[in-house]
Amino acid sequence: MKAFKIIFINLFLIIIAIPLVGLLWYEEPEVTENKVLASQPEIIVDNKLNLKFFADLESYFSDHFAYRQELVTTNAIIKSYVFAESSEDLAIVGKDGWLYLRVSLEDYQGTNVASSRGLNNMAKTLSLMQEYVESLGAKFVFSCAPNKNTLYPEYMPYYYRVYDKYSNLDLLTTKMNSYNVNYVDLQGMFEKEEEILYHKGDSHWNNKGAAMVQDAILDKINVDHIDFSDLEYTTYDTFEGDIDKILYPLDRHTEVEYDYSQYFAYEYITPMTDTPIVEQPIVETTNNNPSRGNLLCFRDSFGNSLLPFMANEFNYSCFSKNVPYRLDDVYNKSINVCVIELVERNLIQLIKMAPIMPAPLRNFNEECEEYHSDSTTLEISSYDCYYKLMGEVDKKYVSDSSPIYIRLSSDSGVYVVEAFPTDDDYQGSNVSDYGYTAYLNKSSLPSGEFTIEIITENGVYYKMVCKDTIKF
């Protein structure tokens, strides 16, 4: 019995020592988790003793101990195939090997439906962007990439109940129509297709789906282009999905992907780096054909596979993942076509940060009732070549569709602009429906002292007069 205890204790000590001792021979596989792993700590940092060395060492060991990814994979396999659960908070394990992003669950269940004012703000923001782009002689189009479980709900686990059949995308589509926003209905397009055009283990459409999206976008704005969906393609079966790589780092599944690269004639202007070029925040391309014009495309990760199809159709293309959208690049870069691609689960981004562009001038001569409220705020700052005016209005004086105007009065004249109904001062997921932001071009505004009034509408027009004059 004593010998058995000694063997058991020694075996236990060997097992718990493996994660540390194993680092002597263990070669860490490629990291595919959706996190930045801790880097190896240094004792001396900036010629000073690193007082956080042991805390940094603990973090490093937690992320890199021997056989960590093997254990992560084993845990994921057991949870997926035995309990039909995900080992990662970011993923949902569906039926038949389908994987979904958990951040899309609120859209799927209908538990995050925006208010009428919030939906109006999204549509109004898009309409103001379109107004500016078209005022410069360029074409504007907005497209929303549907969440994977919006298009293929049949593979979602049965226990996720749908509470509201109308999603933000459904309701926003109606609002956009009322504002005449140039919108491509990708959800309707994909739902008409019998073929599945999203990957099982990835959160995005496949290349065949991306080719169809390119065709729909450029058809909408009457731009001549190659319809890749009518062309022959080759396939390869080594595609690895983004969710699959995170969930099963050492047991990845592969899928079929479609290859159209034989038709691409564009070249990258953006220098190559260790980061995959489509993941870079700004990507610029050319196909050296001046007659094709210039494209500015604001996009997210769905734009990774869309990029080649769009880049092939323009002399110069700029693809940006940066927010806020630098919409004044339409002017700065002599753009002919401006495209916005945004995934359904991130529609709230439309009212988080106003695009950077001059606030549109308005003719406004209506009578206003004066009011004063501590709930209405104004902050003024300098941003690049603009003055940035932002704040929040008292909801008592605002209807669901009320615009927010800013009137600036001085000896040199009166100027009225319409503000974006965005909450640039948002905190996390708490986005106010009553925020506003306006960028005023410094070179367009006469210097001097201005009285500023914030004007809203709720049955009648109201104005809140700032206590002090503002000097620009």
Side-chain angles (χ1 to χ4, degrees):
M1 188 67 177
K2 184 177 180 180
F4 175 78
K5 287 182 178 179
I6 293 173
I7 292 173
F8 178 81
I9 292 172
N10 288 335
L11 182 62
F12 175 76
L13 292 174
I14 290 171
I15 291 173
I16 64 173
I18 287 176
L20 177 60
V21 179
L23 290 173
L24 296 173
W25 63 78
Y26 180 70
E27 293 186 8
E28 188 173 23
E30 174 196 359
V31 176
T32 59
E33 294 177 75
N34 189 33
K35 62 179 289 188
V36 178
L37 302 186
S39 56
Q40 188 169 346
E42 298 179 358
I43 297 177
I44 303 298
V45 178
D46 296 331
N47 297 319
K48 296 180 181 179
L49 182 66
N50 181 9
L51 300 179
K52 296 172 55 184
F53 175 78
F54 289 104
D56 294 343
L57 184 62
E58 180 182 358
S59 299
Y60 175 79
F61 179 73
S62 297
D63 285 347
H64 297 277
F65 63 80
Y67 304 105
R68 178 180 183 276
Q69 294 209 49
E70 286 81 357
L71 292 172
V72 168
T73 301
T74 302
N75 181 50
I77 291 173
I78 292 172
K79 284 196 170 184
S80 297
Y81 293 101
V82 178
F83 301 104
E85 295 179 353
S86 170
S87 62
E88 289 280 345
D89 289 340
L90 63 84
I92 294 173
V93 176
K95 304 171 186 175
D96 299 333
W98 276 67
L99 303 175
Y100 299 89
L101 285 178
R102 189 172 295 276
V103 292
S104 65
L105 186 58
E106 289 184 341
D107 286 311
Y108 174 75
Q109 294 185 305
T111 58
N112 68 336
V113 177
S115 68
S116 178
R117 171 77 188 172
L119 291 164
N120 184 86
N121 290 348
M122 295 180 195
K124 166 64 79 168
T125 293
L126 289 167
S127 72
L128 292 176
M129 295 167 72
Q130 177 172 307
E131 176 187 342
Y132 173 70
V133 170
E134 292 180 346
S135 73
L136 296 173
K139 296 181 178 181
F140 175 90
V141 63
F142 172 68
S143 62
C144 180
N147 293 336
K148 187 175 171 180
N149 45 17
T150 294
L151 297 178
Y152 308 109
E154 62 271 27
Y155 298 103
M156 281 286 287
Y158 71 91
Y159 44 81
Y160 286 119
R161 177 185 172 188
V162 176
Y163 294 94
D164 195 326
K165 65 179 180 178
Y166 295 110
S167 67
N168 281 325
L169 180 54
D170 296 327
L171 299 170
L172 178 60
T173 299
T174 301
K175 290 283 187 180
M176 287 189 292
N177 289 336
S178 67
Y179 278 103
N180 296 315
V181 173
N182 212 14
Y183 169 63
V184 178
D185 181 10
L186 298 183
Q187 179 178 346
M189 181 193 77
F190 279 113
E191 287 177 342
K192 292 176 183 177
E193 297 294 323
E194 294 184 5
E195 182 179 3
I196 290 176
L197 296 167
Y198 277 48
H199 292 290
K200 291 175 64 174
D202 196 273
S203 55
H204 305 95
W205 50 50
N206 59 30
N207 283 343
K208 185 182 285 189
M212 293 175 56
V213 171
Q214 179 256 35
D215 180 57
I217 289 174
L218 297 184
D219 268 352
K220 181 71 176 180
I221 51 178
N222 299 315
V223 172
D224 290 336
H225 62 281
I226 297 173
D227 182 358
F228 290 92
S229 60
D230 283 342
L231 302 180
E232 295 293 327
Y233 51 79
T234 58
T235 61
Y236 57 92
D237 60 1
T238 56
F239 177 84
E240 297 177 343
D242 57 356
I243 312 176
D244 195 279
K245 286 193 289 186
I246 294 169
L247 203 56
Y248 312 109
L250 298 182
D251 186 41
R252 307 176 200 170
H253 307 91
T254 59
E255 302 180 50
V256 171
E257 183 58 289
Y258 304 89
D259 188 357
Y260 296 86
S261 60
Q262 60 183 308
Y263 305 110
F264 296 150
Y266 70 93
E267 298 176 352
Y268 288 107
I269 301 173
T270 303
M272 299 288 184
T273 67
D274 292 338
T275 303
I277 192 150
V278 294
E279 296 289 352
Q280 295 189 36
I282 299 289
V283 179
E284 295 178 294
T285 64
T286 182
N287 72 358
N288 294 315
N289 188 340
S291 65
R292 289 180 175 264
N294 299 333
L295 167 72
L296 176 60
C297 179
F298 297 101
R299 51 99 183 198
D300 50 32
S301 58
F302 274 82
N304 289 1
S305 56
L306 180 62
L307 186 153
F309 298 100
M310 298 296 290
N312 199 72
E313 304 307 305
F314 294 89
N315 172 54
Y316 166 82
S317 299
C318 178
F319 300 88
S320 174
K321 283 187 174 182
N322 292 338
V323 288
Y325 298 145
R326 193 80 203 214
L327 210 66
D328 56 2
D329 275 346
V330 174
Y331 175 80
N332 298 332
K333 296 179 181 291
S334 301
I335 295 300
N336 306 103
V337 172
C338 179
V339 175
I340 296 179
E341 174 274 309
L342 182 65
V343 66
E344 177 184 355
R345 61 181 178 269
N346 286 337
L347 282 174
I348 193 69
Q349 180 179 297
L350 290 172
I351 51 176
K352 277 187 174 181
M353 285 182 281
I356 301 170
M357 52 166 267
L361 286 169
R362 295 291 185 248
N363 291 318
F364 182 84
N365 298 302
E366 303 291 336
E367 291 291 327
C368 298
E369 294 186 15
E370 188 171 323
Y371 77 99
H372 296 275
S373 170
D374 292 337
S375 298
T376 297
T377 61
L378 171 66
E379 296 179 19
I380 300 177
S381 60
S382 182
Y383 186 98
D384 197 12
C385 61
Y386 298 99
Y387 293 112
K388 182 179 181 181
L389 282 63
M390 58 177 281
E392 189 171 353
V393 293
D394 191 331
K395 63 182 179 181
K396 291 186 296 185
Y397 301 96
V398 183
S399 65
D400 286 347
S401 59
S402 170
I404 299 174
Y405 297 125
I406 302 175
R407 181 158 58 191
L408 301 97
S409 305
S410 73
D411 294 339
S412 59
V414 177
Y415 307 87
V416 179
V417 298
E418 182 169 358
F420 276 96
T422 60
D423 179 21
D424 281 42
D425 196 32
Y426 72 95
Q427 302 295 323
S429 60
N430 297 318
V431 181
S432 171
D433 291 340
Y434 303 96
Y436 67 91
T437 305
Y439 289 94
L440 306 180
N441 198 312
K442 293 178 180 178
S443 62
S444 301
L445 192 66
S447 60
E449 290 189 341
F450 288 83
T451 298
I452 298 183
E453 299 165 296
I454 310 300
I455 300 174
T456 60
E457 175 273 326
N458 191 359
V460 299
Y461 283 103
Y462 296 93
K463 65 178 180 179
M464 191 280 291
V465 183
C466 294
K467 296 179 181 179
D468 301 312
T469 58
I470 307 296
K471 189 172 184 179
F472 290 108

